Amino acid sequence: MIRAHTAADVRTAEEPLLAAGEPLMDRAAFALATHVAAELRERGHRIPGSVILLLVGGGNNGGDALFAGSHLARRGCQVHAAVLAEHPHAAGLAAARAAGVRVHELAGAPDLNDAVTALARRAGVWVDALTGIGARAPLREPLAGLVTALAAERAASPDEPVVVAVDVPSGIGVDDGAVPGPVLPADVTVTMGAAKPGLLLPPAAALAGRVEVVDVGLEGGLAGQAPAVCRLSATDVADLWPLPGPADHKYTRGVLGVVAGSQTYPGAAVLAVAGAVRTGLGMVRYHGPEIPTSLVHARHPEVVTAPGRVQAWAIGCGIDPDDAARAQEMERGFAAGLAARVPVVLDAGGLSLVHDDAHADLPATVVLTPHAGELALLLTARGEDTTREDVDAAPARHARLAAEVTGATVLLKGPTTVVAAPDGPLYAQADATPWLATAGAGDVLAGVLGALLAGYGDALAVYAEGRLAGVPASLAAAAAYVHGRAARLAAGQGTPPRPRDVIFSVRRASHGEDDISRHTTTGQGGPISALDVAVALPAAVAGLLR
Ligand SMILES: NC(=O)C1=CN([C@@H]2O[C@H](COP(=O)(O)OP(=O)(O)OC[C@H]3O[C@@H](n4cnc5c(N)ncnc54)[C@H](O)[C@@H]3O)[C@@H](O)[C@H]2O)[C@@H](O)CC1
Ligand SMILES: Nc1ncnc2c1ncn2[C@@H]1O[C@H](COP(=O)(O)OP(=O)(O)O)[C@@H](O)[C@H]1O
Ligand SMILES: [K+]
């Protein structure tokens, strides 16, 4: 699991170490230099003679780059430092000069953008060390204008330089993932001590490139702090997965009640049921009129239509809340779920059930699965005027707000899926492929999540605040992971990039045991339908449990 910590938590963890004289910046700078060298090698460049430009701001972030630059200069690189602050890190500057880094003091220069762009054109690597966790986004002028000019220069240059961001791409919202102003997109972000929320959360995460976490010795200090944002990896999801044992039967494995599909959208019933059945569970009880039912049976003869006890509900895919008969069935299912205190997934039309505040204080075992447009409608209906654009600009904040307003867990769909409960960490899962942006994919996800929740059976039925707090959110994140993994398999792209807690450690580097392994990706893949995703689910789960 990747655990991201806020800037404040990182500072709290740093304090005692700095007071004890631990050389945190030396470790950060050494690892940064090692990563820059690795990027050069990976692209087939020799390290001696490579031209590197450091973009140096006035804080310790700039200090990291100056010390790293001195290591690289000693290894024969031609290192230029564009120093953009009046008072850069003094010891870093001295070390850089002593090692032969060419220092260009450009703070206040009238032709700043031109001067830096001219240096940038000659460099194969740009190191973005303008600001780190000490800055509040957006970047102020003149840095904002400079970053805009550099981003344009990079996009226009035939041999795109490698951009390595130090700790975070300068200008992102470190704690909330906002992008309120210009940011230079990075290929790699080398982040110190722990990932930061903005490196996992959309929209900023898309500007960070690959994230490498450097072990500077903060783990002990951070262990006591709850992470702000988590990302599950295959191992975490495997640990959460309900495995059938020899004594299990269909009722102990979990039964899911599904209210999905309508005359108008019959396919949604088939897709939600396919998602559930192929995720694995004891039984699906499907509730619907003749038309979706016959289609569901044609594809899934194992589905039962007799009413009876269930361990979870999935309600709303392919249902228009204005369809009075179907709306009534959704309400009946929801009321039954709440009365029995079993988990309920509300998707698509089912979200209208929580548009008014009749259900003000839902348990976190109710999981809402809106996309950005549906979340905006829900929040607006609950008195928080919100547009789809607002949600896209700050997905995590709006998912959390909806969780607070309703009490439910909220899984917000999108290129990165964000899960928020009223408290506890956020989850940000980026395991899918843009091929998944296709009609019906959300119906499959509702089935996956319903099956997973049903698989926890009565353990979640008695969920209160205690031992299982946070479990619905982690299961929602697990469902997003498996859904994304199935989409990648279906598209022929292999398994999701493997996130690692510590991708690179200083200790390993100094022993020469370079442990950087590469992502398991197989090309661009090809188009998929929602049904293809459902079909790939058993293989996605099996691959996970290997
Ligand atoms: N405390 C330490 O010893 C360590 C710190 N580390 C590095 O230090 C960084 C934090 O350093 P600092 O606390 O000095 O802060 P930063 O270096 O993140 O930022 C401070 C600088 O940015 C400027 N600034 C702030 N907001 C701005 C804005 N909106 N627009 C333009 N300029 C702005 C400030 O005037 C100041 O010059 C981390 O991100 C990390 O890179 C690492 O070296 C690990 C050890
Ligand atoms: N660009 C993207 N990259 C990866 N996954 C995406 C992207 N866009 C959408 N998705 C995923 O595709 C699914 C679409 O669901 P949804 O919008 O509910 O579609 P539908 O209502 O047609 O089923 C969600 O799981 C979402 O997270
Ligand atoms: K930076």
Side-chain angles (χ1 to χ4, degrees), residues 4-18:
H5 288 273
T6 61
D9 281 356
V10 169
R11 285 199 188 286
T12 306
E14 272 173 3
E15 258 166 38
L17 299 175
L18 291 171

Side-chain angles (χ1 to χ4, degrees), residues 61 128-132 165-171:
N61 196 252
D128 167 12
L130 295 173
T131 61
V166 182
D167 214 13
V168 294
S170 307

